[in-house]
Amino acid sequence: MTLTLDTPQLVKTQPLLVARNVSKSYGAVHALRDVSAVVYPGEVLGIVGESGSGKSTFLRCLNLEETPDSGSYTLDLPDVQGNLFDLDRYARRMLCATRIGIVYQNPHLGLLMHHSSSGNVAERLLVAGERRFAVLRDKASAALDASEFPLDRMDAPPVELSGGMQQRVQLAKAIALEPALLLLDEPTTGLDVSVQALVLDTLKRLQQDRRITMVIVSHDLGVIRTLSDRVMVMRRGQVVETGLADQVFQDPQHAYTQQLVHAKL
Amino acid sequence: MTLKSLTRAWEPMSYGFLDGSAKREIRRKMLKAIAVPGCQIPYASREVPMARGWGTGGLQISCTLIHPAMRIKVIDQGADDSVNAASIRNFLARVSGAPVTMDTLQADLIQSRHRIPEERLRADQILVLQVPNPEPLRSVQPNMSIARQMHADADYGRMWLQLYEQIVRSGRVMQGASYPSLVNGRFVMTPSPIPRWDVPKLNMAQHLTILSAGREKRLYAVPPFTRVAPLVFDDVPYRVEDHGHLTCQRSGAAGYFMNEIPQADGTSTFEVSDSELGVKTIRKAEGAPAHIGRTWYENGRLVQ
């Protein structure tokens, strides 16, 4: 007699983001050397490293703002095929406007400082083709609300807001179209500790509620540890260590990672 | 072979002021502009005996198109008798020998600053609009190289954002003149600083409109029967100036675009902006022969 066990079926998950051997040089400076990364749907990848390690350059490549010298980049999304680095400017713009959200360290890079906060969020919807004013208002306020931005200030321009509020507007803009991938470039750098904690709470809640796939870049190990499932450590344009967040922070293998972790401690 | 055989005979003056090569270049650029409606085409704007910003763009187009059999009409903010309109009209007549007229129906070539006549233009008429700033994206993108890329990508999100901001701040679209309009579903153009009242006149019009900015060295065109759609949100309708109920105090014409004339007691009176329409209305009222053609607006409402 054969006993059949009702074993759970394992479903093979395709990674959402696959970047392979991305290299980028600025003259004689090698900003990235064969950097590869894989991110699964709903996962948060933290990229950590010292200033000049290439982490922001890599993020800009993922946001298609930079074209690397070599390498490939694919996203497992409907209607998105092939190496994204080969896309023309128009296709890149439309892909970034609709499928990828980004929050910059410097709000001036991501926001129109003298337009209203709701207008900044609405711009993304407008680029995607929304032409109903009432829907723009509703969606902008919903995105701002999800970013825990006070709605009574939704028409205030970012130039009149605090740093933390500006980051929330950036975040609302990034999530307005429910992007498949959210890129965060040092989202809490420059904010005081209490505001940092609030922004991190918002990010964590968003990630839990919406299961947004995120790539977060920071030199702050605390931020990376709070948000990330997996961590990639970069130094001088190369990946020196990668692993689960707990594993990397509890048991760092590479000498540089050990230095980083101990410096933090 | 002699030197004389290689050179052209000396001519005391080019017909229509511009020399042959200048006209040839402007004609080529006009054809290009007509082929790609709404697309700004750069051209080598020549010196004309008038200061930049006073209609040199329109004047060059008129000088290129003009021939002695054409009747010319020149208007400035709707008026045929302003100093600027009279100067340009006299200049065109002098350099071409073409007859002039103030009657919209009789004109073959109409050069205008900031207005489109109230009487409908026909397929055999050409409207030349003077444009101070041809770039609709300038207010949202001061870098002209990037603005050109934005046109190439049809990246007009910022234009829409500008309208969004106006509604958020003021409760309505505040853009009075130069209302950004989508031509043939592709390029956003500024229809020169004509009032919102005049923008619908360009949509599917029978006549050819050429817009030219001499200082900025750009021209663009709206060919006959081309869609011109002002940028509007689906749920915020396009509104023209609320002039439909006003009456011209001089001519009694009503339902047209008016000029407001403030009075000493704080009130205002109104005069029809299209001066020739006003003159015709007065003549008609006095029993003199005057034929008013079919107008774009009737009783203050646009007639398709």
Side-chain angles (χ1 to χ4, degrees), chain A residues 38-106:
Chain A
V38 174
V39 187
Y40 286 85
E43 190 183 36
V44 181
L45 174 70
I47 304 177
V48 70
E50 63 195 7
S51 297
S53 59
K55 52 193 191 304
S56 290
T57 304
F58 184 58
L59 202 77
R60 283 203 302 277
C61 288
L62 296 183
N63 197 39
L64 300 174
E65 291 169 63
E66 294 270 2
T67 303
D69 303 330
S70 61
S72 68
Y73 171 29
T74 56
L75 284 178
D76 183 31
L77 294 172
D79 308 327
V80 179
Q81 284 160 358
N83 184 359
L84 302 185
F85 293 139
D86 295 336
L87 293 178
D88 61 26
R89 194 181 68 236
Y90 180 77
R92 282 178 182 217
R93 187 172 68 81
M94 291 315 291
L95 182 69
C96 291
T98 54
R99 304 292 181 85
I100 302 173
I102 187 162
V103 175
Y104 295 97
Q105 175 187 349
N106 182 354

Side-chain angles (χ1 to χ4, degrees), chain B residues 26-232:
Chain B
I26 293 174
R27 280 195 200 105
R28 275 200 298 267
K29 297 297 165 64
M30 280 195 281
L31 288 172
K32 199 169 173 181
I34 291 164
V36 193
C39 181
Q40 295 169 53
I41 311 294
Y43 72 102
S45 179
R46 267 67 174 186
E47 291 292 331
V48 285
M50 193 163 67
R52 296 277 191 216
W54 289 83
T56 56
L59 187 59
Q60 288 174 78
I61 302 297
S62 296
C63 286
T64 304
L65 293 171
I66 206 161
H67 61 77
M70 269 183 165
R71 280 184 179 275
I72 321 157
K73 174 181 166 78
V74 181
I75 40 179
D76 179 4
Q77 298 264 29
D80 290 84
D81 49 3
S82 79
V83 172
N84 197 20
S87 301
I88 293 175
R89 186 169 54 240
N90 291 342
F91 176 77
L92 284 170
R94 191 173 168 191
V95 298
S96 68
V100 296
T101 181
M102 292 192 184
D103 188 347
T104 303
L105 300 178
Q106 288 182 10
D108 300 303
L109 178 69
I110 301 169
Q111 180 175 332
S112 171
R113 174 174 171 267
H114 305 184
R115 278 307 314 275
I116 296 175
E118 296 288 1
E119 289 167 292
R120 276 175 186 265
L121 301 183
R122 302 181 307 269
D124 60 334
Q125 293 177 303
I126 300 174
L127 175 67
V128 177
L129 285 171
Q130 300 168 199
V131 185
N133 179 11
E135 182 48 81
L137 293 169
R138 179 159 291 175
S139 57
V140 297
Q141 178 49 264
N143 185 327
M144 288 299 99
S145 299
I146 297 175
R148 277 193 278 279
Q149 276 188 1
M150 289 166 77
H151 278 296
D153 292 347
D155 178 6
Y156 297 124
R158 292 270 173 98
M159 296 298 304
W160 289 97
L161 180 60
Q162 203 177 32
L163 300 178
Y164 174 93
E165 290 288 304
Q166 288 175 13
I167 297 174
V168 164
R169 286 184 184 164
S170 312
R172 63 192 174 92
V173 174
M174 298 297 286
Q175 189 88 25
S178 300
Y179 197 98
S181 306
L182 189 67
V183 184
N184 203 29
R186 175 60 183 86
F187 283 99
V188 169
M189 70 160 188
T190 172
S192 81
I194 55 174
R196 280 178 293 175
W197 182 273
D198 284 349
V199 176
K201 296 176 184 174
L202 290 170
N203 184 40
M204 298 305 282
Q206 292 184 22
H207 67 279
L208 165 67
T209 306
I210 297 180
L211 303 99
S212 175
R215 186 174 44 197
E216 305 288 330
K217 301 174 176 62
R218 293 273 186 285
L219 64 86
Y220 47 106
V222 179
F225 302 105
T226 302
R227 281 175 290 131
V228 176
L231 299 188
V232 280

Side-chain angles (χ1 to χ4, degrees), chain A residues 89-90 93 112 114-116 118-119 123 131 133-134 136-137 155, chain B residues 149 153 155 157-158 160-161 164-165 167-169 233-236:
Chain A
R89 194 181 68 236
Y90 180 77
R93 187 172 68 81
L112 299 162
H114 295 279
H115 286 64
S116 65
S118 67
E123 188 201 3
R131 295 289 180 262
F133 182 77
L136 288 169
R137 291 292 284 176
D155 292 328
Chain B
Q149 276 188 1
D153 292 347
D155 178 6
R158 292 270 173 98
W160 289 97
L161 180 60
Y164 174 93
E165 290 288 304
I167 297 174
V168 164
R169 286 184 184 164
F233 292 111
D234 295 349
D235 49 355
V236 182

